[in-house]
């Protein structure tokens, strides 16, 4: 694939790609109608773009960010509803969710994320799996799986315990308590945090630093370090399977209804397992 094909308008729905000087590819998550939520087309694009970036020569570093007021507000309600009622859709998104995590991990190019505003769902997975994650102080990172009524699968089990420790991971993933940009750095969930008005400048500075280094040294260091994530593959696969099993149960329907109606959920009293 050429950079012209990669950055062609409409090539990746929900994303805008632009190649800058020094071989830095800017990937912007963008949705005009919502706070960069991820619908079915955008979820598919966010999955395959990393494989295509890996295959495209001329890219030395990637900077990923959200457009407007936030990084990404999470999954589109229509997509979630489709997954809970259509086995084919559920299976398709399960494969995409698996590939999304592994494609980011296996992308050889270094990736920097600039995180501001809400960062939820597939956007959060990308943001935390990047090689250098930088938050604005007021960013709000939230894993909303339990609030929806499904297990915290996705990226969570593979990366949160490694970054911030098992106890912190359990607390935030089981309660759904959000993490501010400042707190995320304090517990080790992200690489850096900066005042909001310094976020993009700092992210571009780091991207330029990575892009100007030895490609082999940088990429091979990334490859070796990401073996920590690869060896957690069985944990990730189990968590993802349990998450998607939850999409076949009653709690996700109640969770989705409560989110739409902006009320507290009324989940089942007990679980069969």
């Amino acid at each position: 694939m050429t950079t012209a094909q990669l950055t062609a308008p409409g090539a990746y729905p929900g994303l805008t790609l632009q190649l800058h000087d020094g071989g830095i590819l800017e990937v912007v998550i963008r949705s005009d109608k919502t706070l960069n939520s991820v619908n079915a087309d955008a979820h598919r694009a966010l999955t395959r773009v990393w494989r295509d970036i890996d295959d495209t020569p001329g890219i030395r570093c990637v900077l990923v960010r959200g457009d407007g007021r936030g990084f990404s507000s999470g999954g589109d309600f229509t997509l979630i509803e489709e997954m809970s009622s259509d086995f084919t859709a559920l299976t398709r998104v399960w494969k995409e969710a698996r590939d999304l995590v592994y494609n980011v991990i296996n992308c050889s190019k270094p990736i920097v994320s600039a995180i501001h505003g809400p960062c939820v769902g597939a956007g959060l997975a990308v943001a935390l799996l990047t090689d250098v994650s930088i938050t604005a102080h007021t960013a709000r990172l939230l894993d909303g799986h339990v609030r929806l009524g499904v297990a915290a699968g996705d990226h969570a089990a593979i990366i949160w315990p490694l970054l911030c420790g098992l106890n912190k991971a359990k607390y935030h993933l089981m309660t759904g308590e959000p993490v501010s940009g400042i707190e995320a750095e304090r517990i080790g969930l992200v690489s850096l945090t900066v005042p909001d008005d310094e976020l993009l400048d700092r992210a571009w500075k780091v991207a330029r630093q990575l892009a100007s280094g030895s490609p082999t040294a940088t990429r091979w260091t990334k490859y070796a370090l990401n073996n920590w994530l690869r060896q957690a593959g069985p944990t990730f696969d189990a968590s993802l399977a349990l998450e998607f099993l939850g999409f076949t149960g009653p709690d996700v329907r109640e969770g989705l209804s409560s989110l739409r109606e902006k009320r507290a959920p009324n989940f089942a009293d007990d679980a069969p397992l």
Side-chain angles (χ1 to χ4, degrees):
M1 178 173 286
T2 66
T3 54
Q5 292 172 316
L6 189 72
T7 59
Y12 301 92
L15 305 176
T16 301
L17 280 65
Q18 182 179 357
L19 186 63
H20 295 267
D21 292 343
I24 300 174
L25 181 72
E26 183 182 28
V27 177
V28 181
I29 303 172
R30 175 174 282 124
S31 175
D32 296 333
K33 295 182 179 179
T34 62
L35 193 58
N36 302 331
S37 65
V38 178
N39 62 19
D41 290 338
H43 193 271
R44 191 175 302 112
L46 201 58
T47 297
R48 66 184 179 89
V49 70
W50 308 106
R51 183 186 60 220
D52 294 343
I53 288 170
D54 185 59
D55 289 340
T56 303
I59 298 171
R60 296 178 64 93
C61 185
V62 181
L63 190 153
V64 57
R65 65 178 180 85
D67 183 47
R69 295 181 294 111
F71 195 88
S72 176
S73 60
D76 178 83
F77 284 174
T78 302
L79 175 60
I80 295 170
E81 189 172 53
E82 182 185 11
M83 291 164 59
S84 66
S85 60
D86 185 330
F87 180 75
T88 300
L90 181 70
T91 306
R92 183 194 75 236
V93 179
W94 165 78
K95 182 180 185 302
E96 290 174 3
R98 183 197 66 187
D99 292 348
L100 171 60
V101 168
Y102 285 127
N103 287 351
V104 175
I105 291 171
N106 292 325
C107 179
S108 63
K109 317 295 171 65
I111 310 169
V112 177
S113 56
I115 308 163
H116 77 295
C119 186
V120 188
L124 179 63
V126 171
L128 293 184
L129 287 166
T130 59
D131 306 301
V132 179
S133 51
I134 307 173
T135 64
H137 283 347
T138 62
R140 187 170 181 268
L141 286 66
L142 171 65
D143 190 292
H145 285 89
V146 294
R147 175 61 179 83
L148 182 61
V150 296
D154 203 11
H155 71 293
I158 199 172
I159 190 72
W160 281 64
L162 185 62
L163 294 176
C164 64
L166 187 58
N167 283 344
K168 286 290 187 183
K170 282 183 176 180
Y171 174 73
H172 288 286
L173 297 177
M174 294 173 70
T175 66
E177 181 76 17
V179 186
S180 71
I182 293 175
E183 178 69 0
E185 185 194 42
R186 188 189 74 80
I187 65 176
L189 192 62
V190 297
S191 308
L192 303 168
T193 188
V194 295
D196 290 30
D197 59 357
E198 298 177 14
L199 176 64
L200 284 181
D201 285 345
R202 187 60 179 272
W204 277 105
K205 181 179 180 181
V206 173
R208 286 191 291 268
Q209 183 178 359
L210 290 170
S212 65
S214 161
T216 51
T218 302
R219 295 177 195 181
W220 294 352
T221 297
K222 170 179 177 171
Y223 182 88
L225 288 171
N226 275 0
N227 278 328
W228 285 98
L229 300 175
R230 294 185 188 95
Q231 71 180 3
T235 298
F236 167 61
D237 290 341
S239 73
L240 196 64
L242 290 169
E243 174 192 348
F244 278 74
L245 178 62
F247 279 105
T248 68
D251 278 356
V252 71
R253 292 190 288 275
E254 168 59 17
L256 182 58
S257 295
S258 68
L259 286 168
R260 280 178 162 157
E261 297 165 12
K262 295 180 169 48
R263 61 170 173 82
N266 183 25
F267 292 130
D269 292 333
D270 202 355
L273 177 62

